[in-house]
Amino acid sequence: MWRECAMTLSIEWPCVALANSPLAKRTTLKVGGSAEWLLEPSTPDELREAYLVAKEHKLEIRVLGGGANLIIDDGVLPGVVISTERVRRTFRPLDPGEVIHPDDMTEEQANKLFDIEAPAIAVNDPRLIVWAGASLPGLVRAASLLGWSGLEGLIGVPGTLGGGIAMNAGGRWGELWDVVDMVRILRPDGEFEDIQRADANPGYRNGGLGECIVVGAVLRLTLDNKHRVAARQREYLLEKCKVQPVTESSAGCIFKNPGGPKAGGENSGEISAGRLIDELGLKGLERGAAAVSKLHGNFIVNRGGATATDVFGLISEIQSRVQEARNIELEIEVKRWR
Ligand SMILES: Cc1cc2nc3c(=O)[nH]c(=O)nc-3n(C[C@H](O)[C@H](O)[C@H](O)COP(=O)(O)OP(=O)(O)OC[C@H]3O[C@@H](n4cnc5c(N)ncnc54)[C@H](O)[C@@H]3O)c2cc1C
């Protein structure tokens, strides 16, 4: 492994590139080892260049968004991890000069966008052009400040636009693909392609884009009133906080609901994995510093200093206990990198 790593040290990358870079802090569960190479392009074109160089060297390529639906094994991941963290700009469509960074947007800036006198800003056009690394919480906040509806259902969902589109993030109040007009992808052959919503086939927690990398999207929201949008967001967040450990380190839901999901709903499978785990008294079960959340049986939390080995040990134990007691095979929903 180390000999192979040394061989890639001479590669000239077209963007910021970190060798043997730790990944745990780049995920919400905060476990896992390091990447042989962590690449940090800052534009879609740089991302494409980085992808092509990695491909040319026949390296394994993975894409990292906010790491909110991911468990990374301990040790060194061979190949490259392309982080979209710097590819995070957001634009208004009809005014190429105006760049909005949703994370940094103040109320004053949002109000300015609604100022009918402001030059070259299409107040009645509630669309955003968003690059892959823009944060979902930032977009939700921007939508609230603008008084645009459509993203309320993503309140409290961490991660990025790219990861959200790849996973079709959402829940009982709606999914990200509900507001997608168009997605720009990087295909495995290294070419960009624009996919219109009508030509896409997203499913439950799956954007249906296969191996393609999401580099950006056009989101179409609905003009509304900012107080109403904020009120809905508050209501949904309160509901979410009652059932999910949103302030603890986790990777979201670990297991698929056995029997498969019903359309549209969070944990709406025939049998909920969380309820099964709860019924077997497994909430609070620990392995090292990893534990089954006491709030939601389908969440594993890192109490500080857990390793991926702890987390996967706990996952295996839950799977065997559920298999033994109920003869049900729990399948992992979260992504695993090894
Ligand atoms: C507390 C908590 C609550 C959560 N609640 C919800 C919820 O209610 N509903 C829900 O759906 N999810 C929920 N999640 C899971 C997570 O927030 C979503 O799945 C989110 O969309 C993950 O985005 P990400 O950018 O972090 O993706 P990552 O975790 O970085 O990646 C996930 C997968 O997407 C791929 N990916 C990432 N970026 C791209 C890209 N640009 N192009 C192609 N593939 C890409 C990765 O390679 C990986 O396979 C929750 C997570 C936590 C920690």
Side-chain angles (χ1 to χ4, degrees), residues 28 63-70 84 132 136 156-160 162-164 166-167 169-170 205 212-214 240 244 246 250-252 266 299 335 337:
T28 50
V63 185
L64 177 66
N69 199 40
L70 193 59
T84 58
L136 289 176
V157 178
T160 61
M167 303 300 305
R205 300 297 157 265
C212 300
I213 299 175
V214 175
K240 202 171 159 92
Q244 290 186 6
V246 289
S250 79
E266 183 185 18
F299 277 63
K335 300 285 176 190
W337 283 0

PDB file of all heavy atoms in Angstrom, residues 28 63-70 84 132 136 156-160 162-164 166-167 169-170 205 212-214 240 244 246 250-252 266 299 335 337, ligand 1:
ATOM      1  N   THR A  28     -19.913  13.687   9.424  1.00  0.00           N
ATOM      2  CA  THR A  28     -20.675  14.084  10.612  1.00  0.00           C
ATOM      3  C   THR A  28     -20.550  13.049  11.737  1.00  0.00           C
ATOM      4  O   THR A  28     -20.754  13.381  12.893  1.00  0.00           O
ATOM      5  CB  THR A  28     -22.158  14.299  10.251  1.00  0.00           C
ATOM      6  OG1 THR A  28     -22.621  13.155   9.528  1.00  0.00           O
ATOM      7  CG2 THR A  28     -22.351  15.533   9.409  1.00  0.00           C
ATOM      8  N   VAL A  63     -16.324  10.626  -4.328  1.00  0.00           N
ATOM      9  CA  VAL A  63     -16.697  12.038  -4.169  1.00  0.00           C
ATOM     10  C   VAL A  63     -17.257  12.245  -2.771  1.00  0.00           C
ATOM     11  O   VAL A  63     -18.120  11.501  -2.318  1.00  0.00           O
ATOM     12  CB  VAL A  63     -17.773  12.447  -5.195  1.00  0.00           C
ATOM     13  CG1 VAL A  63     -18.054  13.934  -5.098  1.00  0.00           C
ATOM     14  CG2 VAL A  63     -17.321  12.091  -6.583  1.00  0.00           C
ATOM     15  N   LEU A  64     -16.738  13.274  -2.119  1.00  0.00           N
ATOM     16  CA  LEU A  64     -17.166  13.576  -0.753  1.00  0.00           C
ATOM     17  C   LEU A  64     -17.912  14.907  -0.727  1.00  0.00           C
ATOM     18  O   LEU A  64     -17.393  15.926  -1.188  1.00  0.00           O
ATOM     19  CB  LEU A  64     -15.923  13.662   0.149  1.00  0.00           C
ATOM     20  CG  LEU A  64     -16.157  14.047   1.603  1.00  0.00           C
ATOM     21  CD1 LEU A  64     -16.950  12.965   2.335  1.00  0.00           C
ATOM     22  CD2 LEU A  64     -14.829  14.294   2.310  1.00  0.00           C
ATOM     23  N   GLY A  65     -19.137  14.878  -0.202  1.00  0.00           N
ATOM     24  CA  GLY A  65     -19.866  16.128   0.022  1.00  0.00           C
ATOM     25  C   GLY A  65     -19.669  16.536   1.470  1.00  0.00           C
ATOM     26  O   GLY A  65     -18.546  16.740   1.924  1.00  0.00           O
ATOM     27  N   GLY A  66     -20.770  16.588   2.213  1.00  0.00           N
ATOM     28  CA  GLY A  66     -20.673  16.961   3.627  1.00  0.00           C
ATOM     29  C   GLY A  66     -20.370  15.779   4.533  1.00  0.00           C
ATOM     30  O   GLY A  66     -20.281  15.940   5.750  1.00  0.00           O
ATOM     31  N   GLY A  67     -20.258  14.584   3.969  1.00  0.00           N
ATOM     32  CA  GLY A  67     -19.961  13.399   4.786  1.00  0.00           C
ATOM     33  C   GLY A  67     -21.057  13.104   5.802  1.00  0.00           C
ATOM     34  O   GLY A  67     -20.797  12.545   6.864  1.00  0.00           O
ATOM     35  N   ALA A  68     -22.300  13.445   5.463  1.00  0.00           N
ATOM     36  CA  ALA A  68     -23.400  13.292   6.426  1.00  0.00           C
ATOM     37  C   ALA A  68     -24.157  11.983   6.260  1.00  0.00           C
ATOM     38  O   ALA A  68     -25.078  11.700   7.014  1.00  0.00           O
ATOM     39  CB  ALA A  68     -24.370  14.471   6.295  1.00  0.00           C
ATOM     40  N   ASN A  69     -23.765  11.211   5.241  1.00  0.00           N
ATOM     41  CA  ASN A  69     -24.442   9.933   5.025  1.00  0.00           C
ATOM     42  C   ASN A  69     -23.417   8.850   4.729  1.00  0.00           C
ATOM     43  O   ASN A  69     -23.615   7.985   3.899  1.00  0.00           O
ATOM     44  CB  ASN A  69     -25.410  10.080   3.841  1.00  0.00           C
ATOM     45  CG  ASN A  69     -26.456   8.993   3.845  1.00  0.00           C
ATOM     46  OD1 ASN A  69     -26.965   8.632   4.895  1.00  0.00           O
ATOM     47  ND2 ASN A  69     -26.751   8.446   2.693  1.00  0.00           N
ATOM     48  N   LEU A  70     -22.324   8.919   5.474  1.00  0.00           N
ATOM     49  CA  LEU A  70     -21.145   8.166   5.096  1.00  0.00           C
ATOM     50  C   LEU A  70     -20.426   7.648   6.327  1.00  0.00           C
ATOM     51  O   LEU A  70     -20.260   8.385   7.295  1.00  0.00           O
ATOM     52  CB  LEU A  70     -20.231   9.165   4.372  1.00  0.00           C
ATOM     53  CG  LEU A  70     -19.055   8.673   3.593  1.00  0.00           C
ATOM     54  CD1 LEU A  70     -19.516   7.732   2.490  1.00  0.00           C
ATOM     55  CD2 LEU A  70     -18.327   9.870   2.972  1.00  0.00           C
ATOM     56  N   THR A  84     -16.093  18.287  -2.548  1.00  0.00           N
ATOM     57  CA  THR A  84     -16.756  19.401  -3.258  1.00  0.00           C
ATOM     58  C   THR A  84     -16.849  20.638  -2.361  1.00  0.00           C
ATOM     59  O   THR A  84     -17.500  21.609  -2.718  1.00  0.00           O
ATOM     60  CB  THR A  84     -18.190  19.002  -3.692  1.00  0.00           C
ATOM     61  OG1 THR A  84     -18.938  18.620  -2.534  1.00  0.00           O
ATOM     62  CG2 THR A  84     -18.180  17.873  -4.702  1.00  0.00           C
ATOM     63  N   ALA A 132     -22.282  22.056  -6.600  1.00  0.00           N
ATOM     64  CA  ALA A 132     -22.467  20.825  -5.805  1.00  0.00           C
ATOM     65  C   ALA A 132     -22.144  20.954  -4.326  1.00  0.00           C
ATOM     66  O   ALA A 132     -22.791  20.343  -3.489  1.00  0.00           O
ATOM     67  CB  ALA A 132     -21.608  19.704  -6.391  1.00  0.00           C
ATOM     68  N   LEU A 136     -26.636  22.201   2.257  1.00  0.00           N
ATOM     69  CA  LEU A 136     -28.110  22.135   2.298  1.00  0.00           C
ATOM     70  C   LEU A 136     -28.661  23.078   3.370  1.00  0.00           C
ATOM     71  O   LEU A 136     -29.597  23.837   3.083  1.00  0.00           O
ATOM     72  CB  LEU A 136     -28.568  20.692   2.545  1.00  0.00           C
ATOM     73  CG  LEU A 136     -28.369  19.711   1.384  1.00  0.00           C
ATOM     74  CD1 LEU A 136     -28.764  18.296   1.806  1.00  0.00           C
ATOM     75  CD2 LEU A 136     -29.187  20.126   0.164  1.00  0.00           C
ATOM     76  N   GLY A 156     -32.827  20.795   8.833  1.00  0.00           N
ATOM     77  CA  GLY A 156     -32.188  19.826   9.749  1.00  0.00           C
ATOM     78  C   GLY A 156     -31.478  18.691   9.038  1.00  0.00           C
ATOM     79  O   GLY A 156     -31.002  17.767   9.688  1.00  0.00           O
ATOM     80  N   VAL A 157     -31.427  18.739   7.707  1.00  0.00           N
ATOM     81  CA  VAL A 157     -30.708  17.693   6.960  1.00  0.00           C
ATOM     82  C   VAL A 157     -29.326  18.243   6.607  1.00  0.00           C
ATOM     83  O   VAL A 157     -29.212  19.180   5.827  1.00  0.00           O
ATOM     84  CB  VAL A 157     -31.460  17.295   5.665  1.00  0.00           C
ATOM     85  CG1 VAL A 157     -30.678  16.241   4.893  1.00  0.00           C
ATOM     86  CG2 VAL A 157     -32.856  16.796   5.994  1.00  0.00           C
ATOM     87  N   PRO A 158     -28.256  17.700   7.188  1.00  0.00           N
ATOM     88  CA  PRO A 158     -26.925  18.207   6.865  1.00  0.00           C
ATOM     89  C   PRO A 158     -26.440  17.688   5.512  1.00  0.00           C
ATOM     90  O   PRO A 158     -27.056  16.784   4.942  1.00  0.00           O
ATOM     91  CB  PRO A 158     -26.057  17.660   7.999  1.00  0.00           C
ATOM     92  CG  PRO A 158     -26.778  16.457   8.497  1.00  0.00           C
ATOM     93  CD  PRO A 158     -28.233  16.606   8.165  1.00  0.00           C
ATOM     94  N   GLY A 159     -25.342  18.254   5.022  1.00  0.00           N
ATOM     95  CA  GLY A 159     -24.766  17.770   3.761  1.00  0.00           C
ATOM     96  C   GLY A 159     -24.776  18.849   2.705  1.00  0.00           C
ATOM     97  O   GLY A 159     -25.000  20.033   2.981  1.00  0.00           O
ATOM     98  N   THR A 160     -24.526  18.419   1.479  1.00  0.00           N
ATOM     99  CA  THR A 160     -24.382  19.362   0.377  1.00  0.00           C
ATOM    100  C   THR A 160     -25.450  19.109  -0.690  1.00  0.00           C
ATOM    101  O   THR A 160     -26.104  18.063  -0.699  1.00  0.00           O
ATOM    102  CB  THR A 160     -23.010  19.178  -0.301  1.00  0.00           C
ATOM    103  OG1 THR A 160     -22.953  17.826  -0.804  1.00  0.00           O
ATOM    104  CG2 THR A 160     -21.856  19.435   0.647  1.00  0.00           C
ATOM    105  N   GLY A 162     -24.848  18.397  -3.802  1.00  0.00           N
ATOM    106  CA  GLY A 162     -24.465  17.237  -4.620  1.00  0.00           C
ATOM    107  C   GLY A 162     -24.827  15.925  -3.952  1.00  0.00           C
ATOM    108  O   GLY A 162     -25.428  15.037  -4.567  1.00  0.00           O
ATOM    109  N   GLY A 163     -24.490  15.812  -2.652  1.00  0.00           N
ATOM    110  CA  GLY A 163     -24.827  14.595  -1.909  1.00  0.00           C
ATOM    111  C   GLY A 163     -26.338  14.452  -1.804  1.00  0.00           C
ATOM    112  O   GLY A 163     -26.885  13.351  -1.909  1.00  0.00           O
ATOM    113  N   GLY A 164     -27.022  15.580  -1.615  1.00  0.00           N
ATOM    114  CA  GLY A 164     -28.483  15.562  -1.482  1.00  0.00           C
ATOM    115  C   GLY A 164     -29.162  15.104  -2.757  1.00  0.00           C
ATOM    116  O   GLY A 164     -30.155  14.369  -2.720  1.00  0.00           O
ATOM    117  N   ALA A 166     -27.608  13.238  -5.127  1.00  0.00           N
ATOM    118  CA  ALA A 166     -27.208  11.833  -5.326  1.00  0.00           C
ATOM    119  C   ALA A 166     -28.068  10.905  -4.470  1.00  0.00           C
ATOM    120  O   ALA A 166     -28.414   9.801  -4.892  1.00  0.00           O
ATOM    121  CB  ALA A 166     -25.729  11.657  -4.981  1.00  0.00           C
ATOM    122  N   MET A 167     -28.421  11.354  -3.246  1.00  0.00           N
ATOM    123  CA  MET A 167     -29.171  10.504  -2.309  1.00  0.00           C
ATOM    124  C   MET A 167     -30.668  10.799  -2.330  1.00  0.00           C
ATOM    125  O   MET A 167     -31.422  10.168  -1.614  1.00  0.00           O
ATOM    126  CB  MET A 167     -28.681  10.738  -0.871  1.00  0.00           C
ATOM    127  CG  MET A 167     -27.207  10.507  -0.612  1.00  0.00           C
ATOM    128  SD  MET A 167     -26.687   8.831  -0.958  1.00  0.00           S
ATOM    129  CE  MET A 167     -27.814   7.907   0.056  1.00  0.00           C
ATOM    130  N   ALA A 169     -32.152  13.407  -0.915  1.00  0.00           N
ATOM    131  CA  ALA A 169     -32.396  13.652   0.510  1.00  0.00           C
ATOM    132  C   ALA A 169     -33.790  14.219   0.717  1.00  0.00           C
ATOM    133  O   ALA A 169     -34.317  14.944  -0.132  1.00  0.00           O
ATOM    134  CB  ALA A 169     -31.353  14.646   1.040  1.00  0.00           C
ATOM    135  N   GLY A 170     -34.367  13.877   1.839  1.00  0.00           N
ATOM    136  CA  GLY A 170     -35.690  14.416   2.160  1.00  0.00           C
ATOM    137  C   GLY A 170     -36.354  13.624   3.246  1.00  0.00           C
ATOM    138  O   GLY A 170     -35.694  12.923   4.007  1.00  0.00           O
ATOM    139  N   ARG A 205     -34.468   7.865  -1.565  1.00  0.00           N
ATOM    140  CA  ARG A 205     -33.072   8.058  -1.132  1.00  0.00           C
ATOM    141  C   ARG A 205     -32.072   7.632  -2.198  1.00  0.00           C
ATOM    142  O   ARG A 205     -31.016   7.083  -1.908  1.00  0.00           O
ATOM    143  CB  ARG A 205     -32.776   7.301   0.182  1.00  0.00           C
ATOM    144  CG  ARG A 205     -33.636   7.721   1.334  1.00  0.00           C
ATOM    145  CD  ARG A 205     -33.434   9.182   1.722  1.00  0.00           C
ATOM    146  NE  ARG A 205     -34.610   9.668   2.413  1.00  0.00           N
ATOM    147  CZ  ARG A 205     -35.617  10.318   1.791  1.00  0.00           C
ATOM    148  NH1 ARG A 205     -35.567  10.617   0.522  1.00  0.00           N
ATOM    149  NH2 ARG A 205     -36.663  10.709   2.465  1.00  0.00           N
ATOM    150  N   CYS A 212     -22.350   8.882 -11.922  1.00  0.00           N
ATOM    151  CA  CYS A 212     -22.091  10.274 -12.326  1.00  0.00           C
ATOM    152  C   CYS A 212     -21.870  11.172 -11.110  1.00  0.00           C
ATOM    153  O   CYS A 212     -22.426  10.923 -10.049  1.00  0.00           O
ATOM    154  CB  CYS A 212     -23.269  10.807 -13.138  1.00  0.00           C
ATOM    155  SG  CYS A 212     -23.549   9.849 -14.627  1.00  0.00           S
ATOM    156  N   ILE A 213     -21.068  12.215 -11.308  1.00  0.00           N
ATOM    157  CA  ILE A 213     -20.835  13.181 -10.230  1.00  0.00           C
ATOM    158  C   ILE A 213     -21.732  14.390 -10.482  1.00  0.00           C
ATOM    159  O   ILE A 213     -21.770  14.924 -11.599  1.00  0.00           O
ATOM    160  CB  ILE A 213     -19.353  13.629 -10.208  1.00  0.00           C
ATOM    161  CG1 ILE A 213     -18.450  12.418  -9.947  1.00  0.00           C
ATOM    162  CG2 ILE A 213     -19.128  14.707  -9.158  1.00  0.00           C
ATOM    163  CD1 ILE A 213     -16.963  12.734 -10.024  1.00  0.00           C
ATOM    164  N   VAL A 214     -22.442  14.815  -9.455  1.00  0.00           N
ATOM    165  CA  VAL A 214     -23.262  16.026  -9.574  1.00  0.00           C
ATOM    166  C   VAL A 214     -22.332  17.223  -9.429  1.00  0.00           C
ATOM    167  O   VAL A 214     -21.602  17.321  -8.441  1.00  0.00           O
ATOM    168  CB  VAL A 214     -24.328  16.068  -8.450  1.00  0.00           C
ATOM    169  CG1 VAL A 214     -25.113  17.371  -8.489  1.00  0.00           C
ATOM    170  CG2 VAL A 214     -25.250  14.860  -8.543  1.00  0.00           C
ATOM    171  N   LYS A 240     -38.614  17.279  13.991  1.00  0.00           N
ATOM    172  CA  LYS A 240     -37.420  16.464  13.743  1.00  0.00           C
ATOM    173  C   LYS A 240     -36.585  16.310  15.023  1.00  0.00           C
ATOM    174  O   LYS A 240     -36.089  15.230  15.324  1.00  0.00           O
ATOM    175  CB  LYS A 240     -36.605  17.143  12.630  1.00  0.00           C
ATOM    176  CG  LYS A 240     -35.676  16.209  11.901  1.00  0.00           C
ATOM    177  CD  LYS A 240     -35.070  16.880  10.695  1.00  0.00           C
ATOM    178  CE  LYS A 240     -33.803  16.170  10.298  1.00  0.00           C
ATOM    179  NZ  LYS A 240     -33.925  15.140   9.331  1.00  0.00           N
ATOM    180  N   GLN A 244     -35.037  12.790  16.333  1.00  0.00           N
ATOM    181  CA  GLN A 244     -33.681  12.490  15.852  1.00  0.00           C
ATOM    182  C   GLN A 244     -32.639  13.213  16.711  1.00  0.00           C
ATOM    183  O   GLN A 244     -32.871  14.352  17.121  1.00  0.00           O
ATOM    184  CB  GLN A 244     -33.513  12.949  14.399  1.00  0.00           C
ATOM    185  CG  GLN A 244     -34.289  12.131  13.398  1.00  0.00           C
ATOM    186  CD  GLN A 244     -33.962  12.538  11.955  1.00  0.00           C
ATOM    187  OE1 GLN A 244     -33.082  13.349  11.698  1.00  0.00           O
ATOM    188  NE2 GLN A 244     -34.685  11.955  11.020  1.00  0.00           N
ATOM    189  N   VAL A 246     -30.329  15.337  16.515  1.00  0.00           N
ATOM    190  CA  VAL A 246     -29.747  16.258  15.530  1.00  0.00           C
ATOM    191  C   VAL A 246     -28.502  16.985  16.038  1.00  0.00           C
ATOM    192  O   VAL A 246     -27.712  17.473  15.233  1.00  0.00           O
ATOM    193  CB  VAL A 246     -30.788  17.294  15.025  1.00  0.00           C
ATOM    194  CG1 VAL A 246     -31.829  16.677  14.152  1.00  0.00           C
ATOM    195  CG2 VAL A 246     -31.449  18.018  16.169  1.00  0.00           C
ATOM    196  N   SER A 250     -23.567  11.919  14.163  1.00  0.00           N
ATOM    197  CA  SER A 250     -24.145  10.682  13.624  1.00  0.00           C
ATOM    198  C   SER A 250     -24.016  10.712  12.102  1.00  0.00           C
ATOM    199  O   SER A 250     -23.529  11.698  11.542  1.00  0.00           O
ATOM    200  CB  SER A 250     -25.626  10.563  14.012  1.00  0.00           C
ATOM    201  OG  SER A 250     -26.419  11.386  13.168  1.00  0.00           O
ATOM    202  N   ALA A 251     -24.487   9.652  11.465  1.00  0.00           N
ATOM    203  CA  ALA A 251     -24.457   9.624   9.995  1.00  0.00           C
ATOM    204  C   ALA A 251     -25.883   9.486   9.461  1.00  0.00           C
ATOM    205  O   ALA A 251     -26.099   8.954   8.384  1.00  0.00           O
ATOM    206  CB  ALA A 251     -23.590   8.473   9.510  1.00  0.00           C
ATOM    207  N   GLY A 252     -26.861   9.954  10.235  1.00  0.00           N
ATOM    208  CA  GLY A 252     -28.256   9.795   9.812  1.00  0.00           C
ATOM    209  C   GLY A 252     -28.704   8.362  10.016  1.00  0.00           C
ATOM    210  O   GLY A 252     -28.103   7.609  10.811  1.00  0.00           O
ATOM    211  N   GLU A 266     -40.211   9.463   5.281  1.00  0.00           N
ATOM    212  CA  GLU A 266     -39.057   9.090   6.064  1.00  0.00           C
ATOM    213  C   GLU A 266     -39.477   7.935   6.975  1.00  0.00           C
ATOM    214  O   GLU A 266     -40.530   7.982   7.596  1.00  0.00           O
ATOM    215  CB  GLU A 266     -38.666  10.298   6.899  1.00  0.00           C
ATOM    216  CG  GLU A 266     -37.451  10.126   7.722  1.00  0.00           C
ATOM    217  CD  GLU A 266     -37.253  11.361   8.599  1.00  0.00           C
ATOM    218  OE1 GLU A 266     -38.203  12.118   8.777  1.00  0.00           O
ATOM    219  OE2 GLU A 266     -36.153  11.534   9.082  1.00  0.00           O
ATOM    220  N   PHE A 299     -30.245   5.426  14.609  1.00  0.00           N
ATOM    221  CA  PHE A 299     -29.091   6.330  14.580  1.00  0.00           C
ATOM    222  C   PHE A 299     -28.012   5.773  15.505  1.00  0.00           C
ATOM    223  O   PHE A 299     -28.310   5.353  16.625  1.00  0.00           O
ATOM    224  CB  PHE A 299     -29.462   7.727  15.103  1.00  0.00           C
ATOM    225  CG  PHE A 299     -30.093   8.622  14.074  1.00  0.00           C
ATOM    226  CD1 PHE A 299     -31.313   8.294  13.502  1.00  0.00           C
ATOM    227  CD2 PHE A 299     -29.478   9.810  13.683  1.00  0.00           C
ATOM    228  CE1 PHE A 299     -31.915   9.128  12.558  1.00  0.00           C
ATOM    229  CE2 PHE A 299     -30.067  10.641  12.741  1.00  0.00           C
ATOM    230  CZ  PHE A 299     -31.283  10.305  12.176  1.00  0.00           C
ATOM    231  N   LYS A 335     -23.858   5.043   3.334  1.00  0.00           N
ATOM    232  CA  LYS A 335     -22.772   4.586   2.446  1.00  0.00           C
ATOM    233  C   LYS A 335     -21.540   4.225   3.277  1.00  0.00           C
ATOM    234  O   LYS A 335     -21.247   4.888   4.265  1.00  0.00           O
ATOM    235  CB  LYS A 335     -22.383   5.696   1.460  1.00  0.00           C
ATOM    236  CG  LYS A 335     -23.519   6.141   0.576  1.00  0.00           C
ATOM    237  CD  LYS A 335     -23.790   5.127  -0.491  1.00  0.00           C
ATOM    238  CE  LYS A 335     -24.993   5.533  -1.332  1.00  0.00           C
ATOM    239  NZ  LYS A 335     -25.451   4.495  -2.219  1.00  0.00           N
ATOM    240  N   TRP A 337     -17.368   3.511   2.963  1.00  0.00           N
ATOM    241  CA  TRP A 337     -16.154   3.535   2.142  1.00  0.00           C
ATOM    242  C   TRP A 337     -15.100   2.673   2.816  1.00  0.00           C
ATOM    243  O   TRP A 337     -14.790   2.869   3.985  1.00  0.00           O
ATOM    244  CB  TRP A 337     -15.613   4.965   2.028  1.00  0.00           C
ATOM    245  CG  TRP A 337     -16.374   5.819   1.058  1.00  0.00           C
ATOM    246  CD1 TRP A 337     -17.453   5.453   0.297  1.00  0.00           C
ATOM    247  CD2 TRP A 337     -16.119   7.199   0.765  1.00  0.00           C
ATOM    248  NE1 TRP A 337     -17.886   6.531  -0.445  1.00  0.00           N
ATOM    249  CE2 TRP A 337     -17.090   7.596  -0.185  1.00  0.00           C
ATOM    250  CE3 TRP A 337     -15.175   8.134   1.203  1.00  0.00           C
ATOM    251  CZ2 TRP A 337     -17.135   8.896  -0.700  1.00  0.00           C
ATOM    252  CZ3 TRP A 337     -15.212   9.413   0.702  1.00  0.00           C
ATOM    253  CH2 TRP A 337     -16.181   9.788  -0.256  1.00  0.00           C
TER     254      TRP A 337
HETATM  255  C1  LIG B   1     -28.424  14.260  11.979  1.00  0.00           C
HETATM  256  C2  LIG B   1     -28.686  13.822  10.554  1.00  0.00           C
HETATM  257  C3  LIG B   1     -29.975  13.891  10.070  1.00  0.00           C
HETATM  258  C4  LIG B   1     -30.245  13.461   8.764  1.00  0.00           C
HETATM  259  N1  LIG B   1     -31.533  13.530   8.309  1.00  0.00           N
HETATM  260  C5  LIG B   1     -31.799  13.151   7.053  1.00  0.00           C
HETATM  261  C6  LIG B   1     -33.130  13.231   6.538  1.00  0.00           C
HETATM  262  O1  LIG B   1     -34.076  13.638   7.227  1.00  0.00           O
HETATM  263  N2  LIG B   1     -33.340  12.859   5.248  1.00  0.00           N
HETATM  264  C7  LIG B   1     -32.317  12.422   4.455  1.00  0.00           C
HETATM  265  O2  LIG B   1     -32.562  12.103   3.281  1.00  0.00           O
HETATM  266  N3  LIG B   1     -31.055  12.324   4.912  1.00  0.00           N
HETATM  267  C8  LIG B   1     -30.770  12.674   6.187  1.00  0.00           C
HETATM  268  N4  LIG B   1     -29.488  12.582   6.649  1.00  0.00           N
HETATM  269  C9  LIG B   1     -28.427  12.049   5.755  1.00  0.00           C
HETATM  270  C10 LIG B   1     -27.696  13.129   4.941  1.00  0.00           C
HETATM  271  O3  LIG B   1     -27.891  14.398   5.507  1.00  0.00           O
HETATM  272  C11 LIG B   1     -28.161  13.146   3.489  1.00  0.00           C
HETATM  273  O4  LIG B   1     -28.074  11.868   2.903  1.00  0.00           O
HETATM  274  C12 LIG B   1     -27.330  14.139   2.653  1.00  0.00           C
HETATM  275  O5  LIG B   1     -27.936  14.243   1.393  1.00  0.00           O
HETATM  276  C13 LIG B   1     -25.895  13.671   2.456  1.00  0.00           C
HETATM  277  O6  LIG B   1     -25.221  14.656   1.708  1.00  0.00           O
HETATM  278  P1  LIG B   1     -23.636  14.791   1.793  1.00  0.00           P
HETATM  279  O7  LIG B   1     -23.216  15.917   0.930  1.00  0.00           O
HETATM  280  O8  LIG B   1     -23.209  14.867   3.211  1.00  0.00           O
HETATM  281  O9  LIG B   1     -23.195  13.415   1.151  1.00  0.00           O
HETATM  282  P2  LIG B   1     -21.950  12.517   1.598  1.00  0.00           P
HETATM  283  O10 LIG B   1     -22.245  11.895   2.916  1.00  0.00           O
HETATM  284  O11 LIG B   1     -20.690  13.262   1.465  1.00  0.00           O
HETATM  285  O12 LIG B   1     -22.022  11.400   0.475  1.00  0.00           O
HETATM  286  C14 LIG B   1     -23.084  10.484   0.448  1.00  0.00           C
HETATM  287  C15 LIG B   1     -23.028   9.740  -0.890  1.00  0.00           C
HETATM  288  O13 LIG B   1     -23.271  10.688  -1.930  1.00  0.00           O
HETATM  289  C16 LIG B   1     -22.147  10.723  -2.803  1.00  0.00           C
HETATM  290  N5  LIG B   1     -21.934  12.117  -3.218  1.00  0.00           N
HETATM  291  C17 LIG B   1     -21.609  13.176  -2.460  1.00  0.00           C
HETATM  292  N6  LIG B   1     -21.498  14.276  -3.222  1.00  0.00           N
HETATM  293  C18 LIG B   1     -21.741  13.890  -4.487  1.00  0.00           C
HETATM  294  C19 LIG B   1     -21.759  14.543  -5.748  1.00  0.00           C
HETATM  295  N7  LIG B   1     -21.487  15.855  -5.859  1.00  0.00           N
HETATM  296  N8  LIG B   1     -22.058  13.837  -6.854  1.00  0.00           N
HETATM  297  C20 LIG B   1     -22.336  12.500  -6.772  1.00  0.00           C
HETATM  298  N9  LIG B   1     -22.308  11.808  -5.624  1.00  0.00           N
HETATM  299  C21 LIG B   1     -22.025  12.498  -4.495  1.00  0.00           C
HETATM  300  C22 LIG B   1     -20.967  10.179  -2.022  1.00  0.00           C
HETATM  301  O14 LIG B   1     -19.979   9.657  -2.889  1.00  0.00           O
HETATM  302  C23 LIG B   1     -21.652   9.130  -1.176  1.00  0.00           C
HETATM  303  O15 LIG B   1     -21.844   7.953  -1.929  1.00  0.00           O
HETATM  304  C24 LIG B   1     -29.196  12.992   7.950  1.00  0.00           C
HETATM  305  C25 LIG B   1     -27.890  12.942   8.445  1.00  0.00           C
HETATM  306  C26 LIG B   1     -27.643  13.337   9.731  1.00  0.00           C
HETATM  307  C27 LIG B   1     -26.219  13.287  10.231  1.00  0.00           C
END
